Structure formats: C-alpha cells, structure tokens
Amino acid sequence: MRVSSQGVTVVALLADPDAPTEVAQRMARVLPNRLADKSGQRRKFHVKVVSEPFTAGTDDPPTLMRRIMDRGRAEDWDIVVALTDLPLHAHGRKLVVDLSHEQGLALLSLPPLGGLWLQTRARRAVEEAVLSLAGLRFTRAEGPPQSQPFLGPFVSRLAPVHPGQVGEEETADLRYVVSGPRGYLRVLVGMVRANRPWRLVPGLSKALAAALATGAVATVNSTIWSLAETLSAPRLVIATVGSVALMVGWLIVDAQLWHRSTEVSPEARQKTRLYNASTVMTVGIGVLVCYGGLIVINLVWALFIINGQVFASVTRTPLHAAEYLTLSWFVASVATVGGALGSGLESDEAIRAAAYSKREQERRRMLQDGHDD
C-alpha cells in the first residue's frame, strides 16, 4: 500500500479548470470518509484539489501520464488522480481511465461517464481508482493489479467498458476504454455536457438582441397575425425546425466551428466525426433554449400589447389562449431567423467562447494552429 510516513495516504485530485475542478472540489468533501470506510483497514486519507491546465497543448494519453508523473514527483503526494473534460483516444479507442500502479497515477476522462449523474459516476470512479492504486483491492496471493478488474463504476448496459491495449513503453499498466455505438453515444453526450450548451444563451448578446427586436415588431404586425392563424400544427413544426436549423448552421459556418482534419487515418476521421457531432448538438441545444425563451417572452409581450378586438377584426378569429400560443410560437420562428442574421455581428471568438469549454477551445485552437503550420 502507498502511504505517507504519517500513516495517511495523500491523494491529489489534479483537475483541469472549469468543470473538472468543480467536480473534484465537490467530491473532495466526502472522499476521505468514503475511502476510509471502503478500505476496511482503518486507513486515513487526505484529499487535496489542485486546479491547473495539465492537458494544455496535447490530448495524447501517454504524454499526459508523463506530465502527471512529473507533477506528482514534485509534491508530497502518494496518489495522483487527474481529471479532464477532454475526450481522449488510445489506439483507436475512447479512453475512460489509465492507471499506473507502480507510480500511483490515474488519468480519468469525464466524457465517457456520460451526461447524467456525472458527479456520482466520477466520484465512484475516483474511489475505485484510489483504492486500486493504494493496493486495497488485491493481495499478492491474488496476483498483480491487471488480474483484478477495476470495472465496478463503469460497467453498464448502456456503455460497455473493457480493458484496452497498453504500449510497452507507456507509463500506464492498466487501461479501460469504451467502444461501439453505445460507447460513442455516451462519450458524445459527455462532450456536450462539458461544453455546457446553456451558456450559449448569454454568450450571444447581439444575436439575442436582434431576435428580441424582431419578435417585438412581428408580434404587433397584422400580417403575422393572419399568417399565424392560417398555419396548421405541422407547418408550425416545420417553421420551428427550419428556423432552428438555419440558426445552428449559420453559427457553425460563420464562426468556423466545423472541424476539418487533414489526416486520412480512420482514427482521425473518427475524432472528426465525434467533434463535429458534439458541435452540432451543443449549438443545437443552445439554440433550442433560446427558442423556448423567445416563445415565453413573445407570449408575455402579446398578452400585454395586443388588443383582442383589433386582432379579431383583422383575422376574423376571437383572441383566446390558443391564438396567443400559436402567435407566440410562429413569432419565435421569425425572431430566430432575425437572431441568425444578428449573430453575424458577433465575433468568432465570442461564439466559440459561448459554445465550448475552455479546454475544448484550447484543443481546437491547437489543431487549427497545427493545420496552419
């Protein structure tokens, strides 16, 4: 077992800034007691959180493991568990965790844990990693760490996890990866969650201003009233899909969010598909949140400004709740198109900052610089 001279195992959670640091800080409050209870040997654990961008400039797992090893040697740490919200790949597979029992190191990628119950899944994964690295999950009679599967928190019917290939010269001695369509889906959802698509709403101030202005004018336009009353539900749905797709497409094209790889290897193509799918989902969810907000705002504005008698004289339809909702729905589609035009006033950096986490921004900037060279 790896323990310090004081009989306390010092565990460092080395976390990338933003979401990984927040996850690490929350789990650090309960981790010492949970580790002590699970050890069954009355061991004491001291957990500290260190927030620094250890993934800066690379997403190569062997390189990251060497960085973590060097960082741990410079401190009085017994075990180092590094957390990142970047999707990592090793030998064509999506990496979940790398372990080095000899060095007491673990590298955990959060996206393969999925988008739901991330805090709980991450805490359980870290617990299992620490107990495995501390030597509490096996005895010499049971064999080396590799013979003791460390799958507990990861195994699920939705994302099969299995041991992955480890190179002879790598620091890691045990690796777990996800594969297949279900594993791909879980990584994709985890990437979208890491990007926090709801931040797209306040991040696009000029586009929102254009959408709100368009909605305010359209709500009091008699032509819009007449059009809204003649549209059936299927046509309203088509208007919604069309306006949202236009907004998403415009943001991706205008801010150059679409990733193009110059490499032709299958692994590079797989990464490209994954990154672009996460971009579409991130921007799409953000735009849908904006769309829902526009419906609410337009409805409140319509309730305040529209006169029922004037509306009825124009459309020959009494103004009831259904008419308010239909009008607000249709105006939201019109306003979204106006917002797409207004998004052209946003800088590319502002859109990227709203759409991606800091780690993802740095990764894409690194890739772009590499292509330019």
Side-chain angles (χ1 to χ4, degrees):
M1 181 191 306
R2 299 174 61 90
V3 293
S4 64
S5 57
Q6 293 81 12
V8 178
T9 301
V10 179
V11 179
L13 300 180
L14 182 63
D16 264 337
D18 287 347
T21 295
E22 294 173 8
V23 170
Q25 289 174 340
R26 283 194 290 267
M27 74 169 66
R29 301 173 190 144
V30 299
L31 207 54
N33 291 335
R34 291 181 63 88
L35 289 172
D37 292 340
K38 287 191 173 186
S39 69
Q41 299 180 18
R42 297 184 179 179
R43 298 304 311 169
K44 293 183 179 179
F45 293 83
H46 176 64
V47 178
K48 59 174 62 178
V49 178
V50 179
S51 178
E52 60 183 56
F54 70 92
T55 59
T58 184
D59 58 359
D60 178 53
T63 301
L64 294 176
M65 287 293 282
R66 288 193 293 270
R67 285 186 181 180
I68 298 165
M69 181 175 62
D70 294 340
R71 187 69 177 87
R73 286 176 176 174
E75 303 288 346
D76 187 23
W77 300 336
D78 299 305
I79 294 174
V80 184
V81 180
L83 292 83
T84 180
D85 56 0
L86 282 182
L88 302 177
H89 297 77
H91 301 284
R93 303 288 186 177
K94 301 166 191 66
L95 176 71
V96 180
V97 63
D98 262 358
L99 296 166
S100 173
H101 291 82
E102 180 181 357
Q103 302 294 334
L105 310 174
L107 171 62
L108 177 65
S109 176
L110 296 179
L113 301 183
L116 300 176
W117 305 292
L118 176 62
Q119 185 67 42
T120 300
R121 288 173 174 169
R123 190 199 68 232
R124 290 175 179 172
V126 171
E127 289 173 1
E128 292 294 322
V130 171
L131 294 175
S132 178
L133 295 174
L136 301 174
R137 303 291 289 188
F138 60 90
T139 65
R140 289 186 179 179
E142 292 171 334
Q146 290 89 331
S147 67
Q148 298 299 315
F150 149 75
L151 290 171
F154 300 120
V155 168
S156 106
R157 295 179 181 178
L158 295 179
V161 177
H162 53 84
Q165 178 184 351
V166 181
E168 294 182 0
E169 298 182 357
E170 293 189 42
T171 304
D173 53 38
L174 188 59
R175 168 175 293 155
Y176 285 99
V177 297
V178 294
S179 60
R182 291 174 294 178
Y184 177 93
L185 180 61
R186 173 164 286 195
V187 173
L188 178 59
V189 173
M191 291 175 65
V192 172
R193 188 190 190 283
N195 288 333
R196 302 178 182 182
W198 51 89
R199 298 188 309 179
L200 193 68
V201 179
L204 299 176
S205 56
K206 295 183 178 65
L208 283 175
L212 291 172
T214 303
V217 173
T219 300
V220 297
N221 187 289
S222 60
T223 303
I224 296 293
W225 296 353
S226 300
L227 284 174
E229 286 304 306
T230 60
L231 292 177
S232 60
R235 289 191 174 186
L236 288 171
V237 171
I238 293 173
T240 298
V241 173
S243 61
V244 169
L246 177 63
M247 181 71 158
V248 171
W250 179 260
L251 288 173
I252 291 175
V253 172
D254 185 56
Q256 300 179 359
L257 302 181
W258 196 257
H259 174 60
R260 292 180 176 85
S261 176
T262 57
E263 301 179 24
V264 295
S265 65
E267 183 176 352
R269 290 198 297 269
Q270 183 186 60
K271 285 185 179 181
T272 299
R273 288 194 296 268
L274 185 63
Y275 296 143
N276 287 333
S278 71
T279 295
V280 172
M281 287 186 63
T282 298
V283 177
I285 292 173
V287 171
L288 284 174
V289 172
C290 292
Y291 190 91
L294 287 173
I295 291 179
V296 175
I297 294 172
N298 292 333
L299 178 59
V300 173
W301 176 239
L303 289 170
F304 174 75
I305 202 69
I306 295 179
N307 182 280
Q309 293 181 347
V310 175
F311 183 90
S313 65
V314 172
T315 63
R316 302 187 184 280
T317 303
L319 184 58
H320 299 305
E323 283 67 38
Y324 276 117
L325 291 173
T326 300
L327 177 63
S328 301
W329 185 358
F330 179 56
V331 168
S333 298
V334 176
T336 299
V337 175
L341 299 176
S343 67
L345 302 175
E346 304 277 5
S347 68
D348 292 351
E349 287 300 320
I351 296 176
R352 293 192 188 102
Y356 297 132
S357 66
K358 287 185 178 180
R359 297 298 99 205
E360 183 67 4
Q361 291 178 59
E362 291 179 0
R363 186 196 66 76
R364 288 175 179 262
R365 193 178 301 117
M366 176 187 67
L367 289 173
Q368 185 61 43
D369 293 342
H371 293 162
D372 292 341
D373 294 341

